[in-house]
């Protein structure tokens, strides 16, 4: 029997559906960073993105029999689960986030904590500026921006996971780009501050 160092998502998901926790760990290692980045782009908050990432993989484990791989990839489905987790966070998370923000900051053994905090605050501030504009888009266009532009999901994969045509996804992205070009202040478009 040949040992595969990098099993496909389909192979992993088959093992996961059978209850294999180590296969789920491999899937987490493979996709936790893209899910985390997607959650950050949707929320503008590193701490909330961490919570959303955890919630996404918890849902993935619980719904392991219902997962819908797209062209053999679990990533589009995981990103939609993350988007739904963000929506839930927005609906019910205001009090919870206030409590979490009162917890002591994590200590880092390497590097200067002040530099790390400063960089995170700067990222969050810039992302908040972008989000304030993106939130003005219609929900369907926001979803297309989050999946295709921010997280790099292909148009066909986004169409499959959203249950719409590829043409509809392309149209949403195009309309969103046009609106954002009109709505975004120059310093955000150019990445300046």
């Amino acid at each position: 029997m040949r040992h595969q160092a990098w099993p496909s998502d389909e192979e992993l998901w088959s093992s996961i559906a059978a209850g294999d926790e180590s296969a789920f760990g491999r899937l987490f290692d493979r996709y936790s960073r893209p899910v985390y980045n997607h959650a950050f782009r949707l929320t503008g908050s590193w701490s909330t993105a961490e919570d959303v990432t955890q919630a996404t993989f918890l849902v993935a484990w619980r719904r392991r029999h219902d997962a819908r791989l797209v062209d053999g990839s679990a990533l589009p489905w995981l990103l939609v689960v993350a988007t739904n987790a963000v929506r839930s966070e927005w609906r019910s998370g205001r009090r919870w986030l206030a409590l979490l923000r009162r917890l002591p900051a994590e200590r880092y053994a390497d590097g200067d904590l002040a530099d790390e905090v400063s960089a995170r605050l700067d990222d969050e501030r810039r992302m908040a500026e972008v989000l304030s504009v993106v939130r003005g888009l219609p929900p369907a266009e926001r979803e297309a921006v989050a999946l295709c532009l921010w997280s790099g999901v292909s148009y066909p994969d986004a169409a499959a996971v959203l249950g719409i045509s590829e043409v509809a996804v392309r149209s949403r992205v195009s309309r969103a780009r046009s609106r954002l070009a009109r709505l975004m202040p120059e310093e955000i478009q150019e990445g300046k501050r």
Side-chain angles (χ1 to χ4, degrees):
M1 190 163 127
R2 195 177 103 197
H3 174 72
Q4 287 184 322
W6 299 101
S8 70
D9 285 6
E10 290 171 326
E11 292 167 329
L12 282 177
W13 210 272
S14 177
S15 297
I16 291 165
D20 184 345
E21 293 176 11
S22 66
F24 189 74
R26 285 179 136 179
L27 188 82
F28 178 85
D29 291 344
R30 187 175 289 175
Y31 292 125
S32 60
R33 177 61 55 187
V35 168
Y36 176 80
N37 289 336
H38 179 74
F40 173 72
R41 290 177 188 118
L42 291 176
T43 64
S45 166
W46 291 114
S47 62
T48 304
E50 290 170 4
D51 294 340
V52 167
T53 300
Q54 290 174 6
T56 298
F57 283 94
L58 179 62
V59 168
W61 177 255
R62 287 182 179 161
R63 296 190 54 207
R64 62 188 175 273
H65 301 291
D66 304 324
R68 187 168 145 192
L69 302 185
V70 177
D71 289 333
S73 175
L75 184 60
W77 184 78
L78 289 168
L79 294 177
V80 169
V81 171
T83 300
N84 290 335
V86 167
R87 287 181 185 142
S88 294
E89 186 76 21
W90 286 338
R91 283 191 301 267
S92 64
R94 293 189 196 279
R95 287 176 290 168
W96 180 246
L97 286 176
L99 175 64
L100 288 177
R101 287 185 178 126
R102 285 187 240 139
L103 294 175
E106 190 175 319
R107 299 288 176 206
Y108 296 92
D110 299 343
D112 185 5
L113 180 59
D115 290 342
E116 177 74 21
V117 169
S118 175
R120 283 179 172 244
L121 290 174
D122 191 45
D123 287 345
E124 286 186 4
R125 181 191 43 75
R126 279 186 269 146
M127 196 65 206
E129 292 171 349
V130 171
L131 279 174
S132 70
V133 175
V134 171
R135 285 185 181 137
L137 296 174
E141 290 178 20
R142 279 196 312 262
E143 195 166 43
V145 165
L147 287 173
C148 298
L149 299 182
W150 287 350
S151 294
V153 173
S154 71
Y155 293 131
D157 289 352
V161 80
L162 294 173
I164 60 175
S165 71
E166 182 179 341
V167 171
V169 173
R170 289 181 183 278
S171 176
R172 289 176 183 183
V173 169
S174 177
R175 285 192 313 266
R177 282 184 174 161
S178 295
R179 288 181 210 260
L180 291 173
R182 288 191 315 267
L183 297 173
M184 292 181 76
E186 283 184 35
E187 60 267 4
I188 294 174
Q189 287 183 25
E190 297 171 9
K192 297 178 184 174
R193 192 53 160 87

